[in-house]
Amino acid sequence: MRKLITLSVACTLLAACSISTEEYAKQQAKAFTEKNCPSPVRGDIRTDSLVFDEDTRTMHYYYSLFGMLDNPDSLNGRGDGMRQRMLETLKKTTSMDQFKKADMNFQYTYHSSSKPDTVLFDVTFRPSDYNK
């Protein structure tokens, strides 16, 4: 019985080690979304989901904006500054190191909460951005 349990654990660990980075990203995105989304609204922002797009190798975060931020004019003129702050945060985020080492993309899409089909801000970071 003890050998059977040891063999079962070894097989499980071996299978976990053989998973591709893409499959791991997909699993992590799904687990994050199931556990954390939708998040409570904080600072007029809610995290709606995280999805891994296998075709583009992109970790794609979706957010909704509320209150004063739920207005296309609220972001006018702030795009470059927001993009730079987000890029600096991504560079410092160690929990994404495995995905950054695999040269994945990271996309952040902010939708209006009052008009969910309206994208208020969207930015994608590629390895050429965060590896500088």
Side-chain angles (χ1 to χ4, degrees), residues 1-130:
M1 182 68 165
R2 185 181 250 175
K3 288 182 181 182
L4 181 61
I5 292 172
T6 303
L7 181 60
S8 175
V9 169
C11 288
T12 301
L13 291 174
L14 183 59
C17 292
S18 66
I19 189 171
S20 71
T21 303
E22 289 79 7
E23 186 60 32
Y24 181 70
K26 187 176 173 182
Q27 289 176 2
Q28 290 300 304
K30 181 180 179 189
F32 176 87
T33 298
E34 288 174 352
K35 182 178 180 182
N36 300 298
C37 299
S39 71
V41 176
R42 289 187 208 120
D44 291 340
I45 301 173
R46 177 183 71 202
T47 305
D48 294 322
S49 65
L50 171 58
V51 177
F52 178 67
D53 182 326
E54 292 180 74
D55 293 335
T56 61
R57 300 185 79 243
T58 301
M59 296 293 278
H60 194 157
Y61 291 85
Y62 291 92
Y63 300 93
S64 290
L65 299 177
F66 293 81
M68 292 179 57
L69 293 179
D70 186 7
N71 175 345
D73 295 332
S74 70
L75 301 177
N76 283 344
R78 294 193 208 179
D80 289 340
M82 284 178 55
R83 184 183 190 289
Q84 191 58 38
R85 284 189 302 278
M86 292 171 72
L87 178 57
E88 290 305 315
T89 299
L90 176 62
K91 287 179 176 182
K92 294 176 186 176
T93 303
T94 58
S95 63
M96 292 296 173
D97 282 353
Q98 179 176 357
F99 305 125
K100 290 185 282 189
K101 287 177 185 172
D103 289 336
M104 291 186 181
N105 302 306
F106 298 87
Q107 184 172 359
Y108 304 87
T109 302
Y110 293 82
H111 289 270
S112 164
S113 61
S114 60
K115 298 177 186 171
D117 292 336
T118 301
V119 174
L120 298 173
F121 187 74
D122 186 76
V123 63
T124 302
F125 298 111
R126 293 171 176 72
S128 59
D129 298 313
Y130 59 78

